Amino acid sequence: MNDTIQCKQCNGTMSKTKKTETSLALQLLGVVLFLVGICLLFLFPIGTVAGLILMIGAARLGYKKLKIWKCDRCGYFFERAE
């Protein structure tokens, strides 16, 4: 299968790559949930399980990786359908 396509903006060659998107609001929410998870971990016996789940879930908030096609010449990109 061909791993390159033509850019519709400048007719340059596009290649597969990944782009990371971040959200400050979700990162702050993740920190708050992480702290709540630590409190639950030490305060309640049943909170140990809930605290661990909150801490693991909070680590993923605010970051998203997108698979994209990016033009090597002009920088235009769009999301891949893979």
Side-chain angles (χ1 to χ4, degrees):
M1 184 173 169
N2 190 3
D3 282 353
T4 59
I5 59 174
Q6 297 290 358
C7 176
K8 68 179 184 179
Q9 301 292 323
C10 70
N11 290 327
T13 304
M14 298 189 85
S15 57
K16 290 181 179 181
T17 188
K18 292 181 183 176
K19 180 179 185 242
T20 304
E21 287 187 355
T22 60
S23 169
L24 183 60
L26 286 177
Q27 288 174 354
L28 291 174
L29 178 62
V31 170
V32 170
L33 286 177
F34 189 82
L35 294 174
V36 169
I38 289 176
C39 290
L40 286 176
L41 190 65
F42 293 112
L43 293 179
F44 304 107
I46 193 72
T48 302
V49 175
L52 287 174
I53 291 171
L54 273 177
M55 289 166 59
I56 292 169
R60 296 278 308 170
L61 281 178
Y63 296 98
K64 185 166 75 168
K65 286 187 179 179
L66 297 173
K67 294 180 178 179
I68 62 169
W69 285 102
K70 184 176 180 184
C71 179
D72 298 327
R73 191 185 313 172
C74 70
Y76 175 75
F77 68 91
F78 61 90
E79 196 168 348
R80 287 189 273 159
E82 294 181 74

